[in-house]
PDB file of all heavy atoms in Angstrom:
ATOM      1  N   CYS C  17       8.448  98.782 -64.944  1.00  0.00           N
ATOM      2  CA  CYS C  17       7.994  97.433 -65.254  1.00  0.00           C
ATOM      3  C   CYS C  17       7.476  96.745 -64.006  1.00  0.00           C
ATOM      4  O   CYS C  17       8.130  96.739 -62.967  1.00  0.00           O
ATOM      5  CB  CYS C  17       9.141  96.610 -65.842  1.00  0.00           C
ATOM      6  SG  CYS C  17       8.720  94.881 -66.102  1.00  0.00           S
ATOM      7  N   GLU C  19       7.124  93.667 -63.571  1.00  0.00           N
ATOM      8  CA  GLU C  19       7.797  92.393 -63.337  1.00  0.00           C
ATOM      9  C   GLU C  19       9.231  92.576 -62.824  1.00  0.00           C
ATOM     10  O   GLU C  19       9.607  91.992 -61.814  1.00  0.00           O
ATOM     11  CB  GLU C  19       7.812  91.533 -64.603  1.00  0.00           C
ATOM     12  CG  GLU C  19       6.424  91.024 -64.991  1.00  0.00           C
ATOM     13  CD  GLU C  19       5.804  90.125 -63.921  1.00  0.00           C
ATOM     14  OE1 GLU C  19       6.533  89.386 -63.244  1.00  0.00           O
ATOM     15  OE2 GLU C  19       4.565  90.190 -63.742  1.00  0.00           O
ATOM     16  N   CYS C  20      10.035  93.401 -63.521  1.00  0.00           N
ATOM     17  CA  CYS C  20      11.461  93.493 -63.156  1.00  0.00           C
ATOM     18  C   CYS C  20      11.845  94.855 -62.577  1.00  0.00           C
ATOM     19  O   CYS C  20      12.982  95.025 -62.134  1.00  0.00           O
ATOM     20  CB  CYS C  20      12.342  93.156 -64.355  1.00  0.00           C
ATOM     21  SG  CYS C  20      12.433  94.468 -65.591  1.00  0.00           S
ATOM     22  N   GLY C  21      10.924  95.810 -62.573  1.00  0.00           N
ATOM     23  CA  GLY C  21      11.226  97.097 -61.951  1.00  0.00           C
ATOM     24  C   GLY C  21      12.053  98.042 -62.809  1.00  0.00           C
ATOM     25  O   GLY C  21      12.354  99.160 -62.414  1.00  0.00           O
ATOM     26  N   ASN C  22      12.405  97.612 -64.017  1.00  0.00           N
ATOM     27  CA  ASN C  22      13.129  98.472 -64.941  1.00  0.00           C
ATOM     28  C   ASN C  22      12.294  99.728 -65.246  1.00  0.00           C
ATOM     29  O   ASN C  22      11.098  99.626 -65.440  1.00  0.00           O
ATOM     30  CB  ASN C  22      13.404  97.697 -66.238  1.00  0.00           C
ATOM     31  CG  ASN C  22      14.327  98.448 -67.187  1.00  0.00           C
ATOM     32  OD1 ASN C  22      15.329  98.988 -66.756  1.00  0.00           O
ATOM     33  ND2 ASN C  22      13.967  98.459 -68.458  1.00  0.00           N
ATOM     34  N   CYS C  32       7.917  96.346 -71.228  1.00  0.00           N
ATOM     35  CA  CYS C  32       9.290  96.510 -70.746  1.00  0.00           C
ATOM     36  C   CYS C  32      10.289  96.072 -71.823  1.00  0.00           C
ATOM     37  O   CYS C  32      10.109  95.049 -72.464  1.00  0.00           O
ATOM     38  CB  CYS C  32       9.480  95.668 -69.473  1.00  0.00           C
ATOM     39  SG  CYS C  32      11.158  95.646 -68.845  1.00  0.00           S
ATOM     40  N   GLU C  34      13.259  95.117 -71.234  1.00  0.00           N
ATOM     41  CA  GLU C  34      14.093  94.023 -70.719  1.00  0.00           C
ATOM     42  C   GLU C  34      13.356  92.690 -70.751  1.00  0.00           C
ATOM     43  O   GLU C  34      13.898  91.687 -71.157  1.00  0.00           O
ATOM     44  CB  GLU C  34      14.498  94.334 -69.260  1.00  0.00           C
ATOM     45  CG  GLU C  34      15.263  95.626 -69.061  1.00  0.00           C
ATOM     46  CD  GLU C  34      16.643  95.576 -69.668  1.00  0.00           C
ATOM     47  OE1 GLU C  34      17.292  94.503 -69.592  1.00  0.00           O
ATOM     48  OE2 GLU C  34      17.091  96.620 -70.213  1.00  0.00           O
ATOM     49  N   CYS C  35      12.103  92.696 -70.237  1.00  0.00           N
ATOM     50  CA  CYS C  35      11.421  91.421 -70.011  1.00  0.00           C
ATOM     51  C   CYS C  35      10.029  91.357 -70.630  1.00  0.00           C
ATOM     52  O   CYS C  35       9.315  90.365 -70.461  1.00  0.00           O
ATOM     53  CB  CYS C  35      11.332  91.126 -68.510  1.00  0.00           C
ATOM     54  SG  CYS C  35      10.087  92.119 -67.670  1.00  0.00           S
ATOM     55  N   PHE C  36       9.616  92.383 -71.350  1.00  0.00           N
ATOM     56  CA  PHE C  36       8.293  92.457 -71.990  1.00  0.00           C
ATOM     57  C   PHE C  36       7.156  92.496 -70.981  1.00  0.00           C
ATOM     58  O   PHE C  36       5.980  92.332 -71.330  1.00  0.00           O
ATOM     59  CB  PHE C  36       8.077  91.299 -72.989  1.00  0.00           C
ATOM     60  CG  PHE C  36       9.079  91.288 -74.100  1.00  0.00           C
ATOM     61  CD1 PHE C  36      10.089  90.318 -74.139  1.00  0.00           C
ATOM     62  CD2 PHE C  36       9.058  92.280 -75.090  1.00  0.00           C
ATOM     63  CE1 PHE C  36      11.032  90.331 -75.159  1.00  0.00           C
ATOM     64  CE2 PHE C  36       9.978  92.274 -76.114  1.00  0.00           C
ATOM     65  CZ  PHE C  36      10.986  91.307 -76.145  1.00  0.00           C
ATOM     66  N   GLY C  37       7.466  92.712 -69.703  1.00  0.00           N
ATOM     67  CA  GLY C  37       6.423  92.843 -68.681  1.00  0.00           C
ATOM     68  C   GLY C  37       5.640  94.128 -68.903  1.00  0.00           C
ATOM     69  O   GLY C  37       6.081  95.027 -69.630  1.00  0.00           O
TER      70      GLY C  37
HETATM   71 ZN1  LIG D   2      10.666  94.182 -67.087  1.00  0.00          ZN
END
Side-chain angles (χ1 to χ4, degrees):
C17 174
E19 291 299 325
C20 75
N22 188 44
C32 175
E34 301 291 323
C35 75
F36 300 107

